[in-house]
Amino acid sequence: MPSQRFFRIGLAAAASLMLVGCGDNSADQAWANYHRQLADALNTTPPERLEPRNIGDFPERQQRLIDIPDTRDGILNIYALRECQITSLIAARNNQLGRVAPPSQHWLYERTLWQRLDACWNSEVPDSLNEDDRARLAYLTQLKTEQLPAVSWNAIFDSEEWEKSFSRASSPLPLQQEIDFRDQLEAINYLEQMVAQQFSSTWEQDSSTLEGHLKALQERPLTAEVLRALLLAEQRLSEANQLLAHPASSHHCLSVDEPTWLAALVQRSQQWLTSVNRLIDAHPIDPPKAVNEYQKAWLSMDNPDAPWQQFQDTWEEHQELKASFHHCASD
């Protein structure tokens, strides 16, 4: 007998470890409890629960970046534009550290280079240059002006922090605990501000601020967590709806309140997806096809086949089904 008892304890412990290892047990347990409440109220068994569909793969690096040809010129030609204060900047970009700098630092460099070229072109310096150097300054200023939006796009979509936000190695957003993602929202807002102000001659960028915001994005794969939570919610609500729509259920009254954490999930998901879409749409360029397709399929707030609208439709059906029941009178 003792050996059997220890075997059962060991088996239970192993099962517990397996549940913890699933990652999304916390979120799914909340839905299991809600299913159980509905089933008890309708005097039936909880519905069969199936796995929700997986989130899509974030586009590969080369699919989500915009090709920007290298700009090459001789050192003497660049030195001729020394009054534009770009020689030391270009030298720093081309040294060993500059060549391996992360995309965020490349973004800061390109914006500073554009600022100095633009300021130089709109100063008295061009009048002091010979014809070839003045033409070179005009060409570089126009080129960097045309390239800067693509540089801004690549800096975000080539960053490890942004890519990890969409990682499939993720779990649904927890439902029954407070999630504070104000730092991540501030990070998205700062990136959007950098995009919006990229052609401003007065807005000052800050390297440490930028890196701090990117670090905040890296703390958790928030976009993936939100998408997984929406897919899980759509699946579990659909299963609950089948339970409520069953003919045998129509003879019962129903007084099961909607979980408070469901409204919180709606608020968090809407807030985050709105911010992410706003950042993507802030870029004054046509995104690569793969990103366009991903945004429409997974991030869109309007596409009826995207997670947000599918959840909204299933949630609306759920509310209508619950409203069709008589409210149970209190004893």
Side-chain angles (χ1 to χ4, degrees):
M1 289 293 291
S3 60
Q4 292 180 353
R5 177 173 177 270
F6 287 133
F7 174 76
R8 288 195 298 269
I9 293 174
L11 187 62
S16 176
L17 288 173
M18 288 175 64
L19 288 173
V20 172
C22 291
D24 64 344
N25 181 53
S26 174
D28 211 9
Q29 188 59 50
W31 284 110
N33 293 339
Y34 184 53
H35 280 180
R36 192 175 302 110
Q37 292 174 18
L38 291 174
D40 289 346
L42 299 174
N43 195 26
T44 186
T45 57
E48 180 185 3
R49 303 189 314 138
L50 302 177
E51 285 294 316
R53 60 193 175 106
N54 201 358
I55 61 174
D57 280 320
F58 196 53
E60 294 291 334
R61 180 177 182 271
Q62 293 305 319
Q63 292 181 311
R64 61 179 188 263
L65 299 186
I66 299 172
D67 183 50
I68 305 175
D70 290 336
T71 304
R72 300 185 181 277
D73 209 334
I75 189 170
L76 292 179
N77 292 334
I78 296 300
Y79 183 73
L81 303 179
R82 59 191 177 277
E83 290 188 56
C84 296
Q85 301 180 354
I86 63 173
T87 50
S88 60
L89 185 66
I90 293 175
R93 175 70 177 90
N94 290 330
N95 66 25
Q96 186 173 1
L97 289 177
R99 287 195 296 269
V100 297
S104 56
Q105 293 302 308
H106 186 205
W107 188 7
L108 297 179
Y109 159 80
E110 288 287 341
R111 185 171 185 271
T112 301
L113 178 59
W114 172 83
Q115 283 179 314
R116 295 186 184 180
L117 286 170
D118 183 70
C120 188
W121 178 252
N122 291 287
S123 70
E124 297 177 355
V125 170
D127 295 335
S128 66
L129 300 174
N130 62 41
E131 184 177 351
D132 288 343
D133 291 334
R134 187 164 54 250
R136 182 171 293 106
L137 175 59
Y139 168 75
L140 287 174
T141 303
Q142 180 181 358
L143 178 65
K144 291 304 175 181
T145 301
E146 294 172 352
Q147 288 182 346
L148 190 55
V151 169
S152 301
W153 174 274
N154 286 356
I156 295 175
F157 276 83
D158 196 22
S159 68
E160 180 182 6
E161 296 86 356
W162 185 246
E163 181 182 13
K164 284 186 175 180
S165 184
F166 301 84
S167 174
R168 296 182 96 191
S170 54
S171 302
L173 197 69
L175 299 179
Q176 294 180 298
Q177 65 185 67
E178 285 295 324
I179 303 296
D180 185 0
F181 56 91
R182 285 175 294 181
D183 289 346
Q184 286 85 353
L185 285 171
E186 288 180 11
I188 292 288
N189 292 336
Y190 184 81
L191 292 176
E192 183 185 353
Q193 186 180 19
M194 277 197 66
V195 172
Q197 298 290 340
Q198 60 186 318
F199 287 116
S200 170
S201 58
T202 58
W203 190 79
E204 296 184 4
Q205 59 197 20
D206 181 76
S207 177
S208 61
T209 302
L210 174 59
E211 296 302 332
H213 284 309
L214 289 173
K215 183 179 179 181
L217 288 179
Q218 198 172 25
E219 290 179 359
R220 61 188 308 161
L222 196 52
T223 308
E225 289 183 324
V226 166
L227 292 178
R228 286 197 183 281
L230 289 173
L231 293 179
L232 179 63
E234 188 271 329
Q235 178 65 35
R236 297 297 174 252
L237 283 172
S238 178
E239 293 158 354
N241 291 348
Q242 293 177 25
L243 187 69
L244 294 171
H246 195 280
S249 301
S250 60
H251 304 295
H252 295 268
C253 62
L254 186 64
S255 297
V256 178
D257 293 330
E258 198 168 79
T260 57
W261 44 258
L262 185 54
L265 170 63
V266 173
Q267 181 183 16
R268 293 166 184 163
S269 301
Q270 184 175 31
Q271 191 175 20
W272 183 252
L273 290 179
T274 298
S275 296
V276 170
N277 278 298
R278 197 172 59 226
L279 172 58
I280 295 175
D281 296 339
H283 291 82
I285 55 173
D286 292 328
K289 180 181 177 182
V291 176
N292 252 334
E293 292 175 348
Y294 184 92
Q295 183 182 15
K296 180 180 179 181
W298 296 101
L299 307 176
S300 172
M301 310 290 284
D302 303 317
N303 180 13
D305 295 324
W308 172 257
Q309 274 300 327
Q310 289 205 328
F311 160 73
Q312 288 288 324
D313 292 344
T314 310
W315 186 28
E316 182 178 351
E317 180 187 1
H318 184 71
Q319 292 172 317
E320 291 174 354
L321 284 169
K322 288 185 69 176
S324 67
F325 284 81
H326 293 294
H327 191 79
C328 297
S330 57
D331 294 336

